[in-house]
């Protein structure tokens, strides 16, 4: 192995299983997880042109995979990405990986399931770019529940940085993509301003939008309110709406002006890997 290179591995029990290694699925075939890679000439690397999805397991059983794959298919179609595999094939690939890779984690743990599709070869590098297909990959990882323990017990700290949510007329924020430099910068700015906090972005009209990884919700007049525009088409937002309906809570999508934060009775976030987390400040 070249000096300085860290070989990727799955956490958990795998280190003790020398004759076993986790798998990924890339462009139609399984391969060792450690060998899954995106070529340096791929637009997913060169331009950040990647559409992604993440589902998870509960009790090591995949949860709502079809909804995630339907969103992936819609995003590829609307953004003009080639998707050479059907959702049935991508669902089966994930099911096979979960069946194999679940051996790396304890029965009390769970797996994240990731699909991503790149835009293919960069034409600046290849005259025959059409001969180099997009990278389509499926992989899993053990969900790091300990990383969310403090937020579960004490609540998240959110900070509104100077960065704004990207405008919808220049970037399709309702699709789940890997082009996330603005989020990285926003989270870094938030942590520098208030250590331990994450960024909650506003749009150009000073309406709250979302965090880098989560939908945002406020409770206003005993109603759960979440931004409905300028945010990801969220699978967990749909689930929160279903849960509110089930237990008789009012729910609506509406603009939330940043200057009414003091009127919030409560606030929380939702995301696929960690579910619901309370917001403390």
């Amino acid at each position: 192995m070249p000096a300085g290179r860290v070989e990727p591995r799955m956490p958990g029990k795998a280190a003790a299983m020398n004759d076993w290694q986790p798998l990924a699925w890339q462009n139609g075939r399984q391969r060792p997880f450690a060998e899954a890679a995106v070529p340096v000439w791929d637009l997913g690397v060169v331009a950040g042109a990647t559409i992604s999805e993440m589902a998870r397991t509960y009790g090591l059983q995949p949860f709502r995979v079809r909804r995630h794959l339907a969103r992936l298919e819609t995003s590829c179609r609307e953004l003009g990405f080639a998707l050479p595999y059907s959702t049935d094939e991508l669902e089966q690939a994930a099911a096979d990986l979960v069946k194999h890779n679940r051996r790396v984690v304890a029965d009390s743990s769970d797996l994240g399931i990731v699909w991503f599709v790149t835009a293919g070869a960069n034409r600046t590098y290849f005259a025959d770019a059409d001969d180099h297909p997009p990278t389509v990959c499926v992989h899993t990882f053990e969900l790091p529940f300990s990383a969310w323990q403090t937020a579960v017990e004490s609540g998240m700290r959110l900070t509104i940085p100077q960065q704004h949510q990207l405008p919808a007329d220049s970037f399709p924020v309702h699709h789940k993509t890997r082009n996330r430099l603005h989020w990285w910068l926003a989270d870094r700015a938030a942590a520098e301003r208030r250590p331990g906090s994450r960024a909650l972005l506003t749009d150009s009209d000073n309406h709250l939008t979302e965090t880098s990884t989560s939908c945002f919700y406020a409770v206003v007049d005993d109603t759960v309110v979440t931004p409905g525009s300028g945010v990801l088409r969220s699978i967990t937002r749909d689930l929160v709406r279903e849960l509110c309906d089930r237990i008789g809570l009012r729910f609506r999508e509406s603009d939330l002006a940043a200057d009414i934060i003091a009127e919030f009775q409560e606030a929380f976030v939702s995301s696929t890997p960690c579910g619901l987390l309370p917001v403390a400040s």
Side-chain angles (χ1 to χ4, degrees):
M1 184 184 305
R5 177 180 173 185
V6 178
E7 192 71 14
R9 66 183 180 87
M10 293 284 285
K13 297 182 293 187
M17 303 175 67
N18 296 327
D19 59 344
W20 182 91
Q21 56 184 327
L23 299 175
W25 183 98
Q26 186 167 333
N27 287 6
R29 69 181 184 88
Q30 289 185 347
R31 61 175 59 193
F33 175 82
E35 296 178 9
V38 179
V40 295
W41 42 258
D42 193 297
L43 284 166
V45 174
V46 178
T50 306
I51 297 170
S52 66
E53 276 296 330
M54 179 186 163
R56 61 162 288 177
T57 67
Y58 281 93
L60 292 172
Q61 298 299 314
F63 181 71
R64 298 201 170 187
V65 164
R66 296 297 294 185
R67 296 195 184 195
H68 286 277
L69 290 176
R71 186 172 65 178
L72 178 74
E73 185 178 49
T74 297
S75 294
C76 286
R77 181 177 64 253
E78 293 185 4
L79 295 178
F81 277 53
L83 182 58
Y85 302 96
S86 68
T87 54
D88 286 341
E89 290 173 301
L90 295 175
E91 181 179 20
Q92 187 61 53
D96 292 342
L97 291 182
V98 168
K99 183 178 180 180
H100 183 272
N101 293 346
R102 62 181 293 171
R103 286 179 282 177
V104 79
V105 300
D107 291 341
S108 59
S109 190
D110 271 299
L111 294 170
I113 308 168
V114 175
W115 299 261
F116 68 81
V117 183
T118 73
N122 179 23
R123 293 187 179 277
T124 302
Y125 297 170
F126 290 106
D128 58 345
D130 290 339
D131 294 335
H132 299 272
T135 301
V136 182
C137 185
V138 189
H139 68 88
T140 70
F141 65 96
E142 184 175 6
L143 291 171
F145 292 127
S146 61
W148 304 307
Q149 189 64 35
T150 298
V152 169
E153 295 174 348
S154 305
M156 294 183 66
R157 292 162 54 88
L158 300 180
T159 296
I160 299 175
Q162 292 183 340
Q163 289 89 348
H164 288 296
Q165 176 72 304
L166 297 177
D169 59 358
S170 66
F171 191 85
V173 296
H174 58 283
H175 293 296
K176 194 174 184 67
T177 72
R178 288 277 174 88
N179 194 327
R180 306 184 66 78
L181 178 60
H182 73 294
W183 277 117
W184 183 79
L185 293 172
D187 275 334
R188 187 176 68 176
E192 289 174 352
R193 182 175 170 187
R194 294 180 68 208
S197 68
R198 301 290 297 272
L200 173 62
L201 293 194
T202 56
D203 62 18
S204 58
D205 295 320
N206 205 36
H207 293 136
L208 301 176
T209 61
E210 57 193 348
T211 80
S212 60
T213 58
S214 307
C215 293
F216 177 79
Y217 307 82
V219 179
V220 183
D221 296 330
D222 296 319
T223 300
V224 177
V225 185
T226 190
S229 61
V231 294
L232 176 71
R233 291 173 180 165
S234 171
I235 305 296
T236 59
R237 183 180 64 189
D238 293 341
L239 180 56
V240 170
R241 180 189 291 108
E242 292 174 26
L243 294 174
C244 286
D245 290 343
R246 187 180 303 174
I247 63 177
L249 288 177
R250 291 180 295 181
F251 180 98
R252 76 169 189 267
E253 296 179 12
S254 178
D255 291 337
L256 283 168
D259 57 10
I260 67 165
I261 288 177
E263 300 176 20
F264 294 171
Q265 296 163 278
E266 297 180 61
F268 62 96
V269 299
S270 75
S271 66
T272 290
C274 61
L276 302 181
L277 292 175
V279 173
S281 63

